[in-house]
Amino acid sequence: MHLYLIRHGIAAEPEAYATDEERPLTKEGATKTRKVAQRLYQIEIQFDLILTSPLLRATQTAQILQTAGLSSQIAESAVLAPSGDIHNWLEWYQQWQETGSRSLALVGHQPDLGNWAETLLWGRTQDAIILKKAGAIGLILPETGSPVGRSQMFCLLSPKFLLG
């Protein structure tokens, strides 16, 4: 099972909006995210599902990924909102795994995605993995049992690396 943790693109400053949920991608953020999505498509990455945080900047990022041809399906999950609990996601994941799907993208926020990657890799967080805006972490999750502390990272892609 391939899991991609993708951080939303560059978003508007928090002071400009009444709530964090309303912050959209900036023009630069949308452009950069489109370029990253196109590059992911070029290197033949595909997702059976894009699961996204309900916050606007994340849903916009997920829509850009879908438009680039990376997946035909998007769903929202509150567990991917800031400070979401990985254990709630793991319950969802165990059920989703039964569908036989092989590739999943999670679109969310930092530091949560970095912490989730650490939990899946090492069984605990260390605040060591930093995911850049519009960046991606690729993990291989085991086919059976809990993926916590049993997953393997196969890529950490910053937008700078993808866009060269």
Side-chain angles (χ1 to χ4, degrees), residues 31-49:
T31 299
K32 192 175 204 177
T33 302
R34 267 192 292 284
K35 288 178 182 177
V36 166
Q38 290 165 354
R39 182 68 184 124
L40 292 174
Y41 183 80
Q42 289 170 349
I43 61 175
E44 299 181 356
I45 292 178
Q46 290 284 302
F47 313 122
D48 295 314
L49 174 66

Side-chain angles (χ1 to χ4, degrees), residues 108-126:
H109 311 272
Q110 183 66 16
D112 300 320
L113 292 178
N115 289 339
W116 283 28
E118 292 173 0
T119 299
L120 293 169
L121 292 167
W122 306 313
R124 65 188 187 292
T125 61
Q126 299 179 17

Side-chain angles (χ1 to χ4, degrees), residues 143-160:
E143 291 187 26
T144 59
S146 172
V148 173
R150 298 181 55 233
S151 301
Q152 298 174 344
M153 183 169 19
F154 66 90
C155 68
L156 174 56
L157 303 170
S158 72
K160 186 176 184 177

